[in-house]
Every structure is written in structure tokens, then in C-alpha cells.
């Protein structure tokens, strides 16, 4: 089993314990994942050779419902990382009050090195190795880093073949033709946009001209750039793994997105000047949005941050050490479990529709997402100002209270508490 989960994301949890009424036994249960499985996935490569990739699925908790969380394909994936992300999913689902527990999966692979055929065989292989653990009432995967609706389409098809049944609710983030919902691919950025709009005045004042820098120009980062651009924000810098681009007057986001769609990377941008990736994090902007990988803002660079607020669109982009530094300098951080929860919220809508054999309009999905994001953002903001605690702590306290309530309602807690008195 992975080490004690409180070592990484758990630091956020520990910070919220002073503000939460929670039984010791609940904490003991949260400390370790319910299950943690590592498999080896053999894949026939195009050149005829056989490669074997390590694959993972960690279910952290299922008290509030079937476990939910994405699958990532990345060279850096480890069991430890997947367990940590599963832990965060439990809290993200609880914070948004979704009827889900938390899980995460992954494959240690550099997906850029694989052909489409190899990727398909790997995706199907992941499902083949883990099918016993998955299902609409058990554990429901979704896209994450470097996986998309095509990958979910392959996975869902493979699962149906194994189970000899049509089970679209077993995966979310599928292509629309296979039961996916319009709006799922923009759900993370849409959710982040609602959170920013809701908290913007409080965090950065009412200035008419607002500036933002976005690290990460993939699915969430590029779509958020468009939404902010359309809403009148000046997007002064964006970056991906190939380049970082700056224009103090505001970048032409539609042109940059066209360029990235056509060439596959930001490098050689049609407008703006190229800067170093580190410079982007240190720009004097109202809002800094890390939307790439975990650990981007850390002990080494947190002191350079000049933004007034940070929105964590990636999972875990600000380390606990950086949090302390930012806090002491008055930089507010909107935490990942709130800022990027739009994705799993629309996954919930997809799961509900698949189970009911229903299809909502794109408008209904968008409206319900906005309502849920605004409601929970307000709750986090109110708790934060009521108790004088950072937004992150407030978010973890709210999630923890919901989780504790469910865990205690299963009866185990009262059993433990009264245990000593029983004959
Ligand atoms: N991978 C996304 C996340 O980290 C979405 C998970 C889901 O939809 O289940 O929140």
C-alpha cells in the first residue's frame, strides 16, 4: 500500500483539522486508500515488438458514492502520485456535494512516443487489466492529463465487450456519439471561469482592466484563456511545454489557439514575444493561472510571484511550502479542489444521463454547472471570511465535514466510540 497519504495532500487536511469537528476514526480511515492496484499492461507495438507499461488504479474512498476520477498517461506517473490524486478526488467530490468518492488511475508512458494504434491498444489494455474493479456503481474513470474523449471511447467500448453489456455510465468524458455530453470538454475551464467571476472582485478589486497569465495551453488552459479574453480580460502571457509568449497589450488568443491546433505547439507563435517559462510565473499580473502539472509553484519560485491571486486549474500546482510563502505575502490561492471541479461536476451530469437513458441540452448542462460552482464557491468564501482562514483551508473544511458526516452515518464511528463500553 502507498505510504500515509497525509504526507502530501494531507498537509492541506491537517491545516483544516483545527476548524473541523471530526472523529479520530474518520481520520484513520481517510489516511489510506481503500484499494491500490498496480498492473502490467503488455502492448504490441507497431514494429512488432512487445512493450510492457505499468498501470495503476487507486480507489481512495467510496463512502459518499462510487469512486470517481481520471486516468492520466504520463512518463512521471507513479503509484504514489496516483494515490495522492485519488485522495484529492475524494475531497473534490465532497466539496461539490457530488454523490461520488475519489479515485485516480494512470499509466507510466510518454504518450507522445506512441502511434494512435499503440495508444488504443494501451487504453484497451488498461481496462482489460482493471475491469474487475470498474463499473457505474463501483469506480468510474474519466479523462485527465494526456487522455481525452477518444481514449474514453476506446476504454468504454472495451469495458462493454468484457462485460457483454452496454454500460455507458462506467466512463465519463466520452465522445458525444457514445453518450458523452456537449460541454464536458470545456467543463474544467467553464467551472474555473465561474469561480474567477464569483471571487474576482474580492480578490483583485473592481478594476476595469484585469490582467492574467496562464501556464499551460492545453485543454483547460487554452479554453480558459478564450473565456477570459471574451469577458474582457487582458491575457498577457500563456505557455506550454514548447514556449511561453508575452504581450503586455494582451495576446490575440484566437490566433494563438489556431496556431496551436495547426502546429500542435505554441512554439513559433504568430503574435507576442517569446519569454522563458519562469518569467511567466513572475509577471506583475492580477491573476496567475497554473494549468499544467503539479508542483509548478514551489519553494524555489514562490517568492518571485507578483500576481495578486492564483487560481489552481491544474491538480496540485502550488506546493504546501509555496502556500506558506504566498500566504505570508498576501497572495490568495483559489484551491484546485474548487477551481478545477467543473470537470468532475459535468462528469456527474453525464453519469446521471447515461443511467437514465436521457440527454440534456447543452444549455441545461451549462446552467446546472454554473449554479453548482457558484453555490459552492460562495460557501467556501463565506467560511473563509467568517473564520479568517485561507480559501484553501475553508474548502478542505467544507469537504471534510461532508465526508465525516457520511462516514459517521455508516455507523462505524459510533461503534468505535462506544466500543469500550460494550460487554
Ligand atoms: N480528471 C478530472 C479531475 O481531476 C476529472 C475527473 C472526473 O471527471 O472524474 O477532476
Amino acid at each position: 500500500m502507498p505510504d500515509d497519504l497525509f504526507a502530501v495532500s494531507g498537509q492541506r487536511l491537517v491545516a483544516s483539522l483545527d476548524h473541523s469537528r471530526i472523529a479520530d476514526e474518520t481520520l484513520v480511515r481517510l489516511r489510506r486508500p481503500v484499494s491500490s492496484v498496480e498492473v502490467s499492461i503488455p502492448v504490441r507495438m507497431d514494429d512488432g515488438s512487445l512493450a510492457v507499461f505499468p498501470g495503476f488504479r487507486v480507489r481512495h474512498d467510496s463512502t459518499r458514492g462510487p469512486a470517481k476520477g481520471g486516468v492520466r498517461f504520463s512518463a512521471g506517473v507513479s503509484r504514489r502520485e496516483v494515490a495522492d490524486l485519488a485522495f484529492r478526488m475524494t475531497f473534490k467530490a465532497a466539496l461539490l456535494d457530488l454523490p461520488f468518492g475519489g479515485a485516480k488511475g494512470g499509466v507510466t508512458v510518454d504518450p507522445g512516443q506512441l502511434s494512435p494504434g499503440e495508444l488504443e491498444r494501451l487504453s484497451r489494455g488498461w481496462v482489460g487489466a482493471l475491469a474487475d474493479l470498474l463499473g457505474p456503481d463501483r469506480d468510474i474513470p474519466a479523462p485527465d492529463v494526456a487522455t481525452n474523449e477518444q481514449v474514453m471511447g476506446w476504454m468504454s467500448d472495451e469495458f462493454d465487450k468484457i462485460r457483454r453489456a452496454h454500460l455507458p455510465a462506467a466512463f465519463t468524458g466520452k465522445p458525444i456519439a457514445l453518450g458523452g455530453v456537449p460541454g464536458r470538454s470545456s467543463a474544467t475551464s467553464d467551472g474555473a471561469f465561474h469561480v474567477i467571476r464569483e471571487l474576482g472582485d474580492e480578490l483583485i478589486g473592481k478594476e476595469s482592466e484585469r490582467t492574467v497569465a496562464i501556464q499551460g495551453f492545453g485543454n483547460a488552459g487554452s479554453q480558459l484563456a478564450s473565456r477570459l479574453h471574451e469577458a474582457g480580460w487582458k491575457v498577457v502571457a500563456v505557455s506550454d511545454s514548447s514556449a511561453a509568449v508575452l504581450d503586455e497589450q494582451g495576446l490575440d488568443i484566437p490566433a494563438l489557439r489556431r496556431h496551436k491546433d495547426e502546429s500542435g505547439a505554441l512554439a513559433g507563435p504568430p503574435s507576442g514575444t517569446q519569454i522563458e517559462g519562469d518569467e511567466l510565473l513572475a509577471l506583475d499580473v492580477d491573476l496567475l493561472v497554473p494549468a499544467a502539472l503539479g508542483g509548478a509553484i514551489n519553494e524555489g519560485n514562490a517568492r518571485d510571484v507578483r500576481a495578486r491571486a492564483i487560481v489552481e486549474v491544474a491538480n496540485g500546482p502550488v506546493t504546501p511550502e509555496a502556500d506558506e510563502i504566498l500566504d505570508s505575502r498576501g497572495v490568495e490561492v483559489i484551491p484546485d479542489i474548487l477551481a478545477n471541479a467543473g470537470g468532475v461536476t459535468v462528469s456527474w451530469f453525464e453519469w446521471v444521463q447515461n443511467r437514465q437513458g436521457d440527454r440534456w441540452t447543452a444549455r441545461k448542462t451549462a446552467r446546472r454547472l454554473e449554479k453548482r460552482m457558484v453555490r459552492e464557491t460562495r460557501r467556501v468564501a463565506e467560511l473563509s471570511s467568517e473564520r479568517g482562514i485561507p480559501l484553501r483551508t475553508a474548502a478542505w473544511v467544507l469537504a471534510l465535514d461532508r465526508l465525516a458526516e457520511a462516514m459517521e452515518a455508516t455507523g462505524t464511528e459510533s461503534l468505535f466510540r462506544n466500543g469500550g463500553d460494550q460487554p
Side-chain angles (χ1 to χ4, degrees):
M1 291 289 265
D3 311 327
D4 187 345
L5 287 173
F6 284 13
V8 186
S9 294
Q11 292 187 29
R12 277 67 158 90
L13 183 62
V14 171
S16 56
L17 289 180
D18 289 348
H19 306 275
S20 188
R21 182 201 61 81
I22 180 167
D24 286 350
E25 288 86 1
T26 303
L27 275 183
V28 172
R29 280 169 69 177
L30 287 169
R31 218 169 184 118
R32 286 173 189 281
V34 165
S35 81
S36 168
V37 178
E38 177 168 355
V39 293
S40 299
I41 308 167
V43 174
R44 179 68 59 199
M45 305 303 275
D46 291 348
D47 65 5
S49 66
L50 188 79
V52 178
F53 299 94
F56 307 90
R57 187 70 178 171
V58 175
R59 188 187 309 174
H60 174 252
D61 185 70
S62 300
T63 313
R64 301 185 80 258
K68 188 84 192 78
V71 188
R72 56 172 58 183
F73 287 174
S74 160
V77 163
S78 66
R79 196 175 55 144
R80 188 77 194 78
E81 182 197 53
V82 173
D84 181 55
L85 291 160
F87 179 82
R88 282 165 201 264
M89 284 307 301
T90 301
F91 286 84
K92 198 186 293 184
L95 177 62
L96 271 289
D97 205 10
L98 311 180
F100 292 133
K104 202 79 172 196
V107 178
T108 313
V109 58
D110 178 356
Q113 302 296 313
L114 264 52
S115 72
E118 291 165 344
L119 267 180
E120 176 175 351
R121 292 191 287 280
L122 178 64
S123 304
R124 290 181 182 278
W126 187 86
V127 172
L130 293 162
D132 290 341
L133 304 174
L134 307 176
D137 295 312
R138 197 172 280 174
D139 181 347
I140 307 134
D144 198 75
V145 173
T147 52
N148 55 17
E149 58 175 44
Q150 173 66 82
V151 171
M152 292 305 119
W154 291 324
M155 288 187 168
S156 170
D157 180 57
E158 188 67 19
F159 190 68
D160 286 359
K161 280 185 182 143
I162 293 168
R163 289 291 173 91
R164 292 188 172 273
H166 189 60
L167 295 164
F171 291 81
T172 62
K174 301 179 296 295
I176 291 175
L178 295 179
V181 300
R184 174 62 184 86
S185 63
S186 64
T188 305
S189 55
D190 290 343
F193 180 75
H194 298 316
V195 175
I196 293 169
R197 211 187 31 202
E198 209 45 41
L199 296 179
D201 289 354
E202 286 157 50
L203 296 185
I204 58 181
K206 289 196 167 117
E207 276 103 293
S208 52
E209 195 173 75
R210 294 172 163 188
T211 54
V212 57
I214 302 178
Q215 182 205 39
F217 207 59
N219 182 43
S222 67
Q223 298 196 71
L224 181 61
S226 292
R227 280 211 77 160
L228 290 171
H229 177 74
E230 283 156 19
W233 284 71
K234 228 192 223 183
V235 185
V236 296
V238 297
S239 69
D240 70 1
S241 54
S242 73
V245 204
L246 169 76
D247 185 342
E248 305 266 6
Q249 301 316 310
L251 291 161
D252 182 348
I253 296 299
L256 283 174
R257 287 194 66 185
R258 271 194 307 277
H259 169 71
K260 174 130 189 181
D261 281 349
E262 281 157 20
S263 70
L266 264 182
S271 69
T273 40
Q274 262 183 251
I275 55 169
E276 292 300 319
D278 290 350
E279 286 176 58
L280 180 143
L281 297 175
L283 288 172
D284 186 5
V285 283
D286 293 317
L287 209 61
L288 175 62
V289 180
L293 286 173
I297 300 171
N298 49 52
E299 211 172 357
N301 59 14
R303 279 178 197 83
D304 302 331
V305 170
R306 285 189 291 159
R308 294 160 85 169
I310 294 177
V311 184
E312 291 188 309
V313 168
N315 282 312
V318 178
T319 65
E321 295 75 26
D323 247 351
E324 267 177 40
I325 298 168
L326 295 167
D327 194 40
S328 69
R329 299 180 54 231
V331 183
E332 279 275 11
V333 180
I334 305 182
D336 50 3
I337 60 170
L338 177 65
N340 72 25
V344 68
T345 302
V346 174
S347 276
W348 171 42
F349 300 156
E350 182 174 341
W351 178 77
V352 165
Q353 289 168 69
N354 291 160
R355 287 168 71 102
Q356 295 179 336
D358 196 3
R359 278 192 192 256
W360 303 356
T361 60
R363 246 192 90 200
K364 179 170 172 181
T365 301
R367 236 186 13 239
R368 291 202 48 175
L369 172 66
E370 180 172 357
K371 220 169 130 194
R372 180 63 59 124
M373 294 303 303
V374 168
R375 187 181 92 187
E376 299 308 324
T377 303
R378 291 264 49 101
R379 287 172 68 106
V380 171
E382 273 155 27
L383 189 70
S384 155
S385 64
E386 226 174 83
R387 306 234 180 126
I389 52 179
L391 290 167
R392 189 191 304 282
T393 309
W396 281 81
V397 168
L398 280 175
L400 188 60
D401 284 351
R402 283 199 178 121
L403 264 166
E405 198 183 338
M407 285 189 165
E408 290 175 22
T410 62
T412 332
E413 301 308 319
S414 42
L415 192 76
F416 274 130
R417 243 184 263 124
N418 299 329
D421 300 326
Q422 303 300 315

